[in-house]
Amino acid sequence: MIRKVEGPALMIGSLTAFVILDRPKLDPADPGVREAAERAGVSPEEFAGPGDVWNLFWEDEHGEGDGFELPGLRDAEAEHFAEQLRLALGSGEPFTIEAGPVLSLAARPAGADGHAFTAHVTPPEGEDMDPVTLDLGALPTADLLADIQDFQRSLA
């Protein structure tokens, strides 16, 4: 599952196993958006909305994945999660941080310049999917810090 992300997004992992926290931005001129708006009986601009709904997506090393909306998540909370991750990466110690009750991210130092991550995804009540644990592998700390900085800038 390769996703095209238009709005603010933070991907943790690789192309083969990842979690993505994103706030999609829908383009009212996009033919798919126009078609969906017509089916919903609203204007494309209304259907696209303000782009304030966050999602969590994941994929494992076997290409299996899914996702769900995070109702009520605000930009400030997403930014707080990113800041917690940035600070924890600088500690050089194992850590666990959470994005509410739906995502727990555990990491431990791996090699001279990386961290090995495990993500625990727990779908919110009402979602018809089981919790999943993903081994995201070892990621270069410098690359992840740069991604966090880009994410935080996209929220500003």
Side-chain angles (χ1 to χ4, degrees):
M1 169 173 96
I2 299 291
R3 294 185 20 79
K4 181 178 179 184
V5 178
E6 299 288 334
L10 179 60
M11 177 177 153
I12 302 163
S14 65
L15 291 177
T16 58
F18 57 81
V19 292
I20 298 175
L21 179 64
D22 87 330
R23 186 185 72 201
K25 179 180 177 187
L26 300 177
D27 179 1
D30 180 276
V33 171
R34 296 182 78 72
E35 182 181 325
E38 185 177 320
R39 283 195 312 259
V42 298
S43 73
E45 293 74 20
E46 184 180 356
F47 187 82
D52 60 356
V53 176
W54 285 88
N55 298 303
L56 180 67
F57 295 97
W58 71 89
E59 186 169 311
D60 66 18
E61 66 275 4
H62 306 293
E64 300 290 323
D66 212 334
F68 47 82
E69 285 186 6
L70 299 169
L73 183 72
R74 299 178 316 232
D75 286 4
E77 294 162 327
E79 200 284 328
H80 178 70
F81 173 76
E83 184 63 11
Q84 284 184 310
L85 180 56
R86 186 187 68 76
L87 292 172
L89 286 168
S91 75
E93 300 291 325
F95 64 86
T96 300
I97 60 170
E98 296 179 350
V102 297
L103 175 62
S104 176
L105 192 62
R108 65 189 183 289
D113 62 349
H115 283 78
F117 286 87
T118 302
H120 303 279
V121 177
T122 305
E125 197 171 306
E127 291 289 336
D128 187 25
M129 55 188 80
D130 294 326
V132 63
T133 298
L134 304 163
D135 178 7
L136 304 179
L139 305 172
T141 301
D143 291 351
L144 190 50
L145 287 169
D147 290 345
I148 292 167
Q149 185 176 36
D150 289 345
F151 177 71
Q152 290 176 313
R153 265 187 254 164
S154 71
L155 292 172

